[in-house]
Amino acid sequence: MDKNNFEAFTNLPALKKNAIQVCGQEFIDSLTKKGIYAKDSDFWEKVNNKLNIPDDAYESKQAREQAEKEQLLLEKKVKEQSEKQRLLANKKEIRSKNRKDWKITVFELPESETFGKNFIAECTKEPDLIKTTWFCKNQEEAYSRACNLADEFEVQQESLRIFMEHYAVMKDLYLMIIYLSSGDQHNSYLNNNRENYKENFTGVSCWNGFDFAIINALVAEGLLELSTTKKSMVMNKKGMKAAREVLQKINIDGVDRLLEQREYHEEYINYKSQLDIMEEQEEEE
């Protein structure tokens, strides 16, 4: 480490001749007479002390170099962003064509020292959907990429439509299954005796072996909460309420009995603990 500090401070390799250059022949000879040579760590420790080199010279240099590198990258990014804005502000339409429900428009950009000669294309769809390509080397490439953007968007929308149809059916089924296959969960940091069950009740939990797409959608609606590993989950009071409402509407033998066994959940769901009140206040703020 002392060698690294010497090199960082002096910008010279850690060699005896360089130590002589900055410390003087007399000082180095005094170390040699004591049997301290350049191959020894003591040698560079004493040289550093002679030159008042800080113990963190190497780390400080690395930090400075990293900061300078990041600053250069930031300046380059800002310059490129400014140049992109200039080019886009001065684009010239050279081609437009209707394709299915989309309008594909190709633009020519001004010459740029940074990016050279480029073209872009926009694909637009009523009422206000716009997709824009990245810089392309010619107008054919720009048009082709715009077509791909439009096609990819349509595929994504169709996949989303199919999923939402699936989710509309599976949501209620998942809520029922998860609710009925879960066990009560209580906050372990609060007193866990019988009279405090409402106070420390947080929901019902079970292992997660379900379709992640459906589970993620339920989480997004605030009906479930996943563990950090996503291996287990908790149906909170909001989810439990929704699940019980679904179960009360269906006509399946035995459902009424199962709901009666968990009738106390109605009281738990409607009860607001101090933690619930604090969370509501935080959301309002």
Side-chain angles (χ1 to χ4, degrees), residues 182-196:
S182 300
D184 288 3
Q185 175 168 292
H186 298 269
N187 190 326
S188 60
Y189 293 100
L190 299 178
N191 189 1
N192 206 26
N193 55 44
R194 187 67 189 179
E195 60 267 24
N196 286 330

Side-chain angles (χ1 to χ4, degrees), residues 223-280:
L223 302 171
L224 294 178
E225 298 169 10
L226 284 175
S227 66
T228 54
T229 61
K230 297 186 178 181
K231 292 183 178 180
S232 62
M233 56 191 171
V234 174
M235 175 178 282
N236 54 31
K237 293 180 180 180
K238 180 179 177 181
M240 292 171 63
K241 182 178 180 181
R244 290 184 65 85
E245 289 175 352
V246 173
L247 286 165
Q248 289 165 358
K249 296 176 183 177
I250 67 172
N251 183 21
I252 298 178
D253 291 342
V255 169
D256 291 342
R257 177 57 179 163
L258 291 176
L259 287 174
E260 288 178 3
Q261 291 174 355
R262 294 188 170 192
E263 185 66 28
Y264 65 93
H265 277 170
E266 292 289 344
E267 182 181 0
Y268 283 13
I269 291 169
N270 295 320
Y271 179 78
K272 289 187 178 182
S273 66
Q274 289 298 318
L275 184 60
D276 293 331
I277 295 173
M278 291 173 60
E279 290 179 348
E280 289 180 357

Side-chain angles (χ1 to χ4, degrees), residues 9-250:
F9 189 82
T10 63
N11 291 319
L12 297 170
L15 301 173
K16 182 178 179 180
K17 64 178 182 178
N18 293 328
I20 293 173
Q21 177 183 333
V22 295
C23 295
Q25 186 69 55
E26 183 178 352
F27 177 76
I28 300 303
D29 288 344
S30 68
L31 296 179
T32 303
K33 290 178 180 179
K34 296 178 182 179
I36 302 174
Y37 303 98
K39 65 180 181 180
D40 303 323
S41 59
D42 287 350
F43 178 92
W44 295 105
E45 180 181 353
K46 295 186 180 303
V47 167
N48 289 353
N49 290 337
K50 170 71 173 179
L51 299 174
N52 293 320
I53 296 177
D55 293 336
D56 63 346
Y58 178 69
E59 288 86 352
S60 296
K61 183 180 180 181
Q62 283 189 314
R64 288 196 305 272
E65 290 176 346
Q66 181 63 29
E68 291 170 359
K69 182 179 179 180
E70 292 175 356
Q71 181 62 30
L72 289 174
L73 289 174
L74 177 60
E75 291 174 358
K76 180 182 179 182
K77 184 176 181 180
V78 171
K79 182 178 179 180
E80 289 181 349
Q81 185 64 32
S82 177
E83 178 65 356
K84 291 173 189 175
Q85 292 175 354
R86 182 187 74 83
L87 296 177
L88 294 174
N90 293 280
K91 62 187 180 183
K92 177 183 177 182
E93 181 178 335
I94 59 174
R95 178 182 177 185
S96 182
K97 182 179 179 180
N98 291 325
R99 180 178 180 272
K100 299 179 181 179
D101 295 330
W102 295 81
K103 179 181 179 181
I104 310 296
T105 306
V106 179
F107 298 90
E108 181 180 11
L109 301 179
E111 188 77 28
S112 171
E113 293 182 0
T114 304
F115 299 103
K117 185 65 177 178
N118 288 285
F119 300 80
I120 64 165
E122 292 179 351
C123 42
T124 58
K125 184 177 182 180
E126 296 296 338
D128 55 2
L129 181 62
I130 300 177
K131 298 285 184 179
T132 305
T133 69
W134 183 234
F135 291 175
C136 303
K137 295 303 180 184
N138 53 64
Q139 57 177 297
E140 289 76 18
E141 180 187 359
Y143 180 81
S144 178
R145 288 192 179 182
C147 291
N148 289 338
L149 283 178
D151 291 344
E152 289 171 3
F153 179 81
E154 293 295 345
V155 170
Q156 291 172 356
Q157 290 300 107
E158 179 63 12
S159 297
L160 179 60
R161 183 191 66 78
I162 293 173
F163 171 76
M164 292 309 297
E165 289 180 351
H166 181 66
Y167 180 64
V169 176
M170 296 300 293
K171 176 182 175 180
D172 288 349
L173 295 175
Y174 267 54
L175 287 173
M176 290 188 295
I177 294 171
I178 293 172
Y179 175 70
L180 293 176
S181 60
S182 300
D184 288 3
Q185 175 168 292
H186 298 269
N187 190 326
S188 60
Y189 293 100
L190 299 178
N191 189 1
N192 206 26
N193 55 44
R194 187 67 189 179
E195 60 267 24
N196 286 330
Y197 262 26
K198 291 186 295 184
E199 181 68 27
N200 60 15
F201 180 78
T202 58
V204 291
S205 64
C206 70
W207 290 105
N208 183 11
F210 299 91
D211 185 323
F212 269 111
I214 302 294
I215 294 300
N216 289 337
L218 292 171
V219 170
E221 287 197 49
L223 302 171
L224 294 178
E225 298 169 10
L226 284 175
S227 66
T228 54
T229 61
K230 297 186 178 181
K231 292 183 178 180
S232 62
M233 56 191 171
V234 174
M235 175 178 282
N236 54 31
K237 293 180 180 180
K238 180 179 177 181
M240 292 171 63
K241 182 178 180 181
R244 290 184 65 85
E245 289 175 352
V246 173
L247 286 165
Q248 289 165 358
K249 296 176 183 177
I250 67 172

